[in-house]
Amino acid sequence: MAGEGVSWRNWSGSVEAEVQAIVRPADEEQLRETIQQAPSPLRLVGSGHSFTPLVATSGTVVDLAAFSGLIGHDDVQTTATVGAGTKLGQLTELLAGLGQALPNMGDIDKQTVGGALATATHGSGLGLGAYHTQLRMMRFLDGRGAEREFLVDRDQEMIEATGVTLGVFGALTAVTFQNVPRYNLRRKRSMQPLGQVLDNFETLMAVHRSAEVFFVPFARHALIQTLDMTEESGDFHMTSEDEAGLATLKMLRTYLKWLPSLRRLLIGNAMAKLSDEEVVGEWMKIYVSDRQTKFNEMEYHLPFEEGSGALTEIITLIEKHFPQVYFPVEVRSVQADKFWLSPFYSRDTCSIAVHHDAAEDPTAFFRAAEAIFRRRGGRPHWGKMHNLTASDLAASYPRFRDAMEVRRDLDPDNRFISPYMARLLGIAP
Ligand SMILES: Cc1cc2nc3c(=O)[nH]c(=O)nc-3n(C[C@H](O)[C@H](O)[C@H](O)COP(=O)(O)OP(=O)(O)OC[C@H]3O[C@@H](n4cnc5c(N)ncnc54)[C@H](O)[C@@H]3O)c2cc1C
């Protein structure tokens, strides 16, 4: 059940912690025992794909990998109940076997259900919410080990209060997701001049079921990706083409960092020559990509109408002051929701993500980008790098204090509160 006195690190290597123990309870009884007896602070872990120190603790890391797999499903309602430790890749396979599908997905399927819900993980689509908007039921053990179950039909307010969990309301053991019947997607990709993309940005996001813009630094062009449902079938499978493109951008950055005009010319010409691409495949194969190159990331969720202005400023920032950046800037949209700790609370959102090579220090670039995002009313992705603390968050989330009261009721002894979580949420040690 436990490994003692060990180090823990996240996917990118930006967070490392010396912990007293990493505990892997096999069932609910062992989890209850852990919550009641293991050294504090307790932090739940999923796949460790967050860039912020959400999991870091000097106490106990609790891994719910044993709480994975299908628990039940309802064909009529198109719902499925799964363990919170289930990885998204495993979930997509389970759902495909039931004829069900997730309405949307982010870039990868390595995260766990519990981890995705904790940080408001999302894909793109102005008519599509983040994963937590699919919640019909949440089951967890609270800070004293008591079982709690919230049903959307009975306890809607509690689901909205705790659905973006941050791992501070308890240890999530199972959830029921509202799914949709399985479907196929047509993915179109084209390279377009930047001015054209910025002029048509809001229409692009509104017209397609899901649209993403990847602005390539120094290219004066952006890759547009749109996903729309189709009755056609296709057998698209993930390729490593995106990783190969990234390797080329890194090489050009390394040799031409101080020759921006030449870099612009070479990348711009190469981009303009890329031909359009169209593929069809099953939903889960189209959404997900392979992310091999390690990076650190900051993503801010802005009021939708701020999107193209913020993107323009970020592009100028990179090209004038941070020529080391070679990762594309990723722009998505997300539908408004009612979850108290959701960055999409009460507003349709344009999400802009900046990435930095994990082997290099991102601090100066991320600070400068964050100033732009904050000036435009952005809220940070909970799992991606940012420098906000409780007073900033309370000012930006209308129901932040209400959510903290619910947290206090569910974890009165602050078992799940590490020093980082205390600073983030304004909880006295
Ligand atoms: C390569 C890469 C691609 C990404 N793509 C996207 C994307 O497309 N969209 C997006 O929004 N984000 C994306 N992310 C961010 C990622 O989805 C989030 O950081 C997510 O939280 C990671 O899930 P995890 O299972 O690794 O959780 P961890 O990082 O291990 O934990 C995150 C939080 O979840 C809590 N937690 C985990 N399990 C439980 C549980 N059972 N009960 C209660 N709390 C729990 C932890 O305590 C912690 O607070 C990406 C990250 C990487 C590294």
Side-chain angles (χ1 to χ4, degrees):
M1 168 179 169
E4 304 222 343
V6 281
S7 316
W8 180 87
R9 71 193 301 233
N10 67 342
W11 175 84
S12 75
S14 62
V15 181
E16 283 190 77
E18 294 302 316
V19 304
Q20 289 193 47
I22 298 179
V23 181
R24 298 185 179 83
D27 54 29
E28 200 165 301
E29 206 32 59
Q30 286 191 4
L31 176 59
R32 180 170 295 108
E33 216 177 280
T34 302
I35 291 175
Q36 291 170 346
Q37 294 169 20
S40 278
L42 307 175
R43 292 301 296 152
L44 283 309
V45 67
S47 304
H49 273 56
S50 296
F51 301 91
T52 47
L54 289 170
V55 176
T57 174
S58 55
T60 309
V61 168
V62 186
D63 181 341
L64 296 195
F67 292 71
S68 72
L70 185 67
I71 297 169
H73 71 284
D74 183 328
D75 288 334
V76 179
Q77 305 289 333
T78 326
T79 59
T81 302
V82 295
T86 309
K87 293 206 171 147
L88 295 181
Q90 187 192 352
L91 176 63
T92 61
E93 278 174 30
L94 291 172
L95 294 184
L98 303 174
Q100 298 188 13
L102 297 169
N104 200 11
M105 291 188 78
D107 287 343
I108 58 161
D109 62 4
K110 307 289 183 223
Q111 309 97 320
T112 59
V113 167
L117 291 172
T119 61
T121 291
H122 64 96
S124 190
L126 260 185
L128 298 168
Y131 287 108
H132 57 264
T133 61
Q134 282 180 255
L135 279 170
R136 304 290 305 168
M137 183 281 291
M138 308 168 66
R139 190 180 305 138
F140 57 92
L141 297 192
D142 69 16
R144 291 194 168 156
E147 187 176 276
R148 306 279 188 146
E149 187 172 280
F150 298 144
L151 303 173
V152 82
D153 297 328
R154 189 188 65 197
D155 316 298
Q156 183 160 357
E157 186 161 70
M158 287 307 276
I159 295 251
E160 288 173 356
T162 64
V164 175
T165 78
L166 289 173
V168 295
F169 298 103
L172 196 63
T173 55
V175 302
T176 302
F177 271 149
Q178 179 65 59
N179 298 315
V180 295
R182 64 188 299 178
Y183 56 95
N184 288 341
L185 287 172
R186 179 188 307 285
R187 184 184 88 183
K188 287 188 182 177
R189 281 181 168 186
S190 63
M191 201 59 79
Q192 293 180 15
L194 186 61
Q196 189 179 317
V197 176
L198 291 170
D199 286 348
N200 299 329
F201 181 75
E202 297 194 359
T203 315
L204 172 82
M205 290 290 175
V207 162
H208 295 280
R209 186 176 187 274
S210 169
E212 280 186 58
V213 173
F214 296 90
F215 162 71
V216 184
F218 296 93
R220 294 277 124 202
H221 283 75
L223 174 73
I224 308 296
Q225 171 173 294
T226 60
L227 308 183
D228 289 290
M229 277 193 184
T230 174
E231 297 296 317
E232 279 175 42
S233 49
D235 61 355
F236 175 77
H237 278 80
M238 188 164 51
T239 66
S240 53
E241 139 196 62
D242 291 353
E243 283 292 315
L246 203 53
T248 308
L249 290 175
K250 181 172 183 176
M251 192 258 296
L252 286 170
R253 181 289 305 257
T254 304
Y255 292 115
L256 301 176
K257 189 152 111 187
W258 305 116
L259 295 169
S261 304
L262 185 55
R263 185 176 175 190
R264 195 168 275 131
L265 187 74
L266 289 180
I267 302 182
N269 284 348
M271 296 289 159
K273 281 191 201 125
L274 289 178
S275 43
D276 295 355
E277 178 213 270
E278 194 170 321
V279 296
V280 171
E282 285 183 274
W283 59 281
M284 69 290 215
K285 299 198 174 118
I286 292 280
Y287 289 123
V288 171
S289 25
D290 189 18
R291 295 279 190 257
Q292 295 288 335
T293 309
K294 291 279 168 82
F295 55 81
N296 283 308
E297 183 175 350
M298 165 178 282
E299 182 176 47
Y300 262 74
H301 302 300
L302 303 139
F304 181 70
E305 56 283 4
E306 295 288 342
S308 61
L311 179 60
T312 308
E313 282 195 71
I314 291 290
I315 293 168
T316 308
L317 179 76
I318 293 174
E319 298 196 349
K320 271 199 171 156
H321 302 291
F322 296 97
Q324 79 270 20
V325 176
Y326 63 88
F327 279 84
V329 179
E330 187 176 10
V331 189
R332 295 181 272 189
S333 57
V334 187
Q335 189 179 44
D337 66 52
K338 291 283 169 210
F339 286 73
W340 299 0
L341 294 179
S342 166
F344 319 110
Y345 182 81
S346 272
R347 67 187 200 199
D348 285 337
T349 294
C350 174
S351 301
I352 303 187
V354 288
H355 305 70
H356 205 272
D357 195 308
E360 300 163 9
D361 182 1
T363 312
F365 172 51
F366 282 177
R367 284 261 181 211
E370 186 166 50
I372 293 172
F373 293 140
R374 290 203 61 196
R375 196 162 17 81
R376 290 177 176 273
R379 297 173 179 148
H381 188 301
W382 291 110
K384 301 187 184 177
M385 289 182 169
H386 67 88
N387 296 290
L388 302 201
T389 53
S391 55
D392 310 306
L393 294 164
S396 166
Y397 284 80
R399 305 220 54 186
F400 186 80
R401 293 203 168 84
D402 297 336
M404 290 307 106
E405 274 178 33
V406 171
R407 188 212 67 79
R408 208 167 32 241
D409 290 344
L410 292 172
D411 181 19
D413 310 318
N414 294 339
R415 290 284 280 156
F416 296 108
I417 301 304
S418 59
Y420 172 75
M421 296 311 296
R423 265 196 319 282
L424 186 71
L425 303 179
I427 299 161

